[in-house]
Amino acid sequence: MIEQPAYTRFGVSDEEWGLLVGLPQAVLTAAAAAESDGTRRTMAENAAGLETIAVGRESASPLVAAVAGEVVSRVGDPETGAELPVITPDDPKAMIEDVLARAGQASALLADRVDEGQAGAYRHWLVEIAEQVVGAASTGGILGIGGDVVSDSERRFRDRLSHVLND
């Protein structure tokens, strides 16, 4: 007997699964890019985001658990020391707009394909990833002292994501 791909349990195509699996890491990258913090702070943000993605494997939502498992299998498990590379987009604003548009597409897709509990868990998980990333390293200050825990641009991204996802 041939085993069906995981995404068939959720009534989505391979391409739609790609959207759902790609979005958590894209949210992480966009949240980190919302404020230019320097490499050390961005690494801390990446670590917080990857950890939040990995924790999703333990979600009560089968959708979140499956997506998180797929992401971790692709990028590595933070429990084994995996780290994401620091990505600095050429145009952070355009990248953020793209991620927000894809989040809207994913939200509409899930509203059409899965029950509200699954869709809501996925949307909330994406906002939680953004929340953990933007709160992982303060912006400004001197030698890591002082500054804002969450900058205005980071807060704006998180709030816009939450609005797009109706979370």
Side-chain angles (χ1 to χ4, degrees):
M1 180 172 187
I2 299 174
E3 186 175 327
Q4 294 292 322
Y7 60 81
T8 60
R9 295 183 308 180
F10 306 107
V12 299
S13 70
D14 185 37
E15 181 179 335
E16 292 164 336
W17 184 247
L19 170 67
L20 297 175
V21 169
L23 202 48
Q25 190 175 355
V27 165
L28 182 163
T29 303
E35 182 72 41
S36 179
D37 293 324
T39 302
R40 184 181 58 77
R41 289 178 176 147
T42 301
M43 288 176 66
E45 292 169 340
N46 282 353
L50 184 57
E51 180 63 34
T52 306
I53 290 170
V55 167
R57 295 177 295 181
E58 300 166 15
S59 174
S61 163
L63 174 64
V64 171
V67 170
E70 181 80 19
V71 174
V72 170
S73 74
R74 292 179 183 188
V75 302
D77 190 338
E79 291 180 9
T80 62
E83 294 181 3
L84 294 174
V86 172
I87 297 172
T88 307
D90 292 334
D91 187 348
K93 289 180 181 177
M95 187 254 200
I96 287 169
E97 293 303 319
D98 176 66
V99 169
L100 292 170
R102 288 190 288 150
Q105 292 169 352
S107 185
L109 168 70
L110 292 175
D112 189 44
R113 302 291 172 84
V114 298
D115 66 58
E116 179 52 36
Q118 294 294 321
Y122 180 84
R123 291 190 310 260
H124 182 73
W125 179 56
L126 292 179
V127 173
E128 181 63 22
I129 292 166
E131 182 73 30
Q132 292 301 314
V133 170
V134 302
S138 61
T139 300
I142 298 173
L143 300 174
I145 299 171
D148 297 320
V149 173
V150 179
S151 72
D152 289 341
S153 58
E154 290 170 328
R155 185 175 297 109
R156 196 168 29 257
F157 170 73
R158 181 201 57 214
D159 292 349
R160 288 181 67 202
L161 178 67
S162 180
H163 178 75
V164 164
L165 295 172
N166 296 316
D167 184 61

